Amino acid sequence: MTKQEKMEAIQQLKKEKKALILAHNYQVPDVQDVADFIGSSLGLARRAERTDAEIIVFCGVHFMAESASIISRDKKVLIPDLEAGCSLAETITAEQLRDWKAKHPGAVVVSYVNTSAEVKAESDYCCTSSNAVQVVESIPEDREILFLPDKFLGTYIEMQTGRDLNIWDGVCHVHEKIGELNLAEVQEEHPDAEVLIHPECGCSTSCMMRSSMYFDCSDAHIHSTGGMIEHAKESEADEFVVATETGILYRLGKENPDKKFYAANEDSVCEFMKMITLDKVYEALKYEQFEVRVPDQLAEQARKPIERMLQIS
Ligand code: 13P
Ligand code: SF4
């Protein structure tokens, strides 16, 4: 089958099976092109919550498909490759979280959605990079908070809210490497560009402090992937340096053909996101593989923090 034939076959199967294809902003162009909806972690969770499709093909990583299974219990959730994991979600297990909670009795646990269902089940609130500040601000100021697993996002929240958080020492292997030197180099080539930074990046803290020795932070903006899409659309700037996984550049370019986007670091590629290909999406739909089904009891426990998050933002 040619690529065009495969894309048509996917559209046909989607209709026959009443399926919805959701794709994260980091997915490869071909997958974004066959998706019904492309979005951030929060956008995708919301779309999964309100669909009347019978099957959701989740083109993203495993924790995202798990979240869809937790909130859409009557749907069959498929992920085209079960190996599509997340290095950040791997940095904490439910057992490690239970130990941490035991050392901080009474603390409120706020977990980034990049966590397993088991970790969510041990948490009070979930958050994404779009709503983390709002979620923390909704918690009474006198409560101790355990924030996990991303330390850069945790520091960003601390600086935005002025709250003191206990932060887990986790990082995403892709974002931690996007540093100030990358930004300085690309900024030198494109001095008029605005800078968009994902809060998981190593350089987000210096950007918040507006105190980098290496790059000019005056026109830098910290956003989730969804926030970057919105910002690029609304900004009057013509050029942007983008500090996150490079998959987002395709959507940014497609939706803003008159603007230019440059990766802060061309090597910022999440190999897990890239495991999802057009061929695997086709096979997922054809053979209804691979189902991600969180067991009932676990789903019930993990749903509470996700629902609290969805109510707040
Ligand atoms: P967003 O929530 O901003 O879409 O990011 C998800 C993610 O995995 C970042 O690496
Ligand atoms: Fe996880 Fe990082 Fe990949 Fe996002 S980019 S899915 S945080 S490994």
Side-chain angles (χ1 to χ4, degrees):
M1 251 194 257
T2 64
K3 186 164 114 184
Q4 190 53 35
E5 284 166 347
K6 198 145 269 179
M7 283 182 158
E8 283 163 17
I10 288 173
Q11 297 307 331
Q12 188 58 33
L13 282 166
K14 221 167 65 177
K15 259 189 235 147
E16 276 166 33
K17 303 202 175 203
K18 292 199 177 75
L20 177 79
I21 302 182
L22 299 181
H24 188 266
N25 288 319
Y26 298 158
Q27 289 291 292
V28 295
D30 288 350
V31 171
Q32 292 196 26
D33 287 343
V34 291
D36 297 294
F37 181 82
I38 310 161
S40 66
S41 307
L42 180 63
L44 295 174
R46 289 207 168 287
R47 193 66 189 80
E49 191 192 19
R50 63 182 165 80
T51 182
D52 52 13
E54 289 171 14
I55 295 178
I56 297 174
V57 181
F58 210 111
C59 302
V61 293
H62 195 267
F63 76 81
M64 296 179 179
E66 265 190 348
S67 298
S69 164
I70 291 164
I71 44 187
S72 300
R73 296 301 288 163
D74 54 339
K75 315 285 183 243
K76 190 171 196 179
V77 179
L78 306 175
I79 188 162
D81 190 327
L82 276 172
E83 297 294 309
C86 168
S87 63
L88 179 56
E90 293 287 313
T91 62
I92 185 162
T93 63
E95 200 182 333
Q96 286 172 310
L97 176 52
R98 281 191 289 273
D99 288 347
W100 202 27
K101 281 164 67 173
K103 291 183 188 126
H104 297 268
V108 179
V109 178
V110 181
S111 292
Y112 193 30
V113 282
N114 297 45
T115 44
S116 66
E118 288 80 4
V119 167
K120 289 187 176 76
E122 290 287 336
S123 307
D124 298 298
Y125 292 86
C126 277
C127 71
T128 70
S129 44
S130 313
N131 60 20
V133 169
Q134 264 173 293
V135 168
V136 167
E137 279 175 342
S138 75
I139 299 167
E141 291 207 14
D142 59 342
R143 298 294 303 275
E144 183 181 16
I145 296 176
L146 304 184
F147 180 83
L148 64 104
D150 189 79
K151 70 174 177 189
F152 294 117
L153 177 62
T155 309
Y156 166 72
I157 301 167
E158 277 191 324
M159 292 171 114
Q160 285 286 92
T161 61
R163 303 276 290 262
D164 201 9
L165 310 179
N166 298 287
I167 302 172
W168 192 254
D169 191 19
V171 290
C172 153
H173 74 296
V174 179
H175 286 87
E176 79 162 330
K177 293 188 201 116
I178 309 180
E180 299 184 27
L181 291 177
N182 296 126
L183 285 175
E185 227 171 82
V186 187
Q187 226 174 17
E188 208 175 293
E189 283 167 41
H190 309 286
D192 297 328
E194 276 191 346
V195 178
L196 305 179
I197 300 178
H198 195 279
E200 286 175 23
C201 290
C203 54
S204 63
T205 311
S206 42
C207 171
M208 280 295 292
M209 292 166 79
R210 305 247 170 240
S211 71
S212 172
M213 278 170 63
Y214 304 101
F215 76 104
D216 172 13
C217 324
S218 57
D219 220 357
H221 307 268
I222 300 188
H223 286 298
S224 65
T225 63
M228 287 182 180
I229 300 284
E230 288 302 308
H231 185 109
K233 206 178 291 171
E234 281 157 24
S235 168
E236 287 182 2
D238 298 323
E239 293 185 306
F240 302 83
V241 172
V242 184
T244 192
E245 211 274 350
T246 55
I248 197 170
L249 295 175
Y250 176 68
R251 181 171 174 201
L252 285 167
K254 196 173 169 185
E255 294 183 5
N256 304 278
D258 299 332
K259 300 185 178 182
K260 296 226 159 23
F261 299 92
Y262 312 103
N265 181 341
E266 296 279 359
D267 297 331
S268 305
V269 176
C270 174
E271 59 273 45
F272 302 113
M273 285 282 178
K274 277 20 183 194
M275 283 177 182
I276 313 297
T277 60
L278 194 65
D279 286 349
K280 290 182 196 171
V281 174
Y282 170 73
E283 282 170 17
L285 269 166
K286 186 163 185 200
Y287 303 113
E288 299 191 17
Q289 67 188 25
F290 297 93
E291 187 168 6
V292 175
R293 177 93 191 150
V294 176
D296 289 344
Q297 204 188 336
L298 181 59
E300 196 167 318
Q301 288 168 324
R303 188 161 49 239
K304 289 177 198 146
I306 297 180
E307 277 175 355
R308 282 192 196 119
M309 166 184 85
L310 293 175
Q311 276 159 16
I312 292 166
S313 62

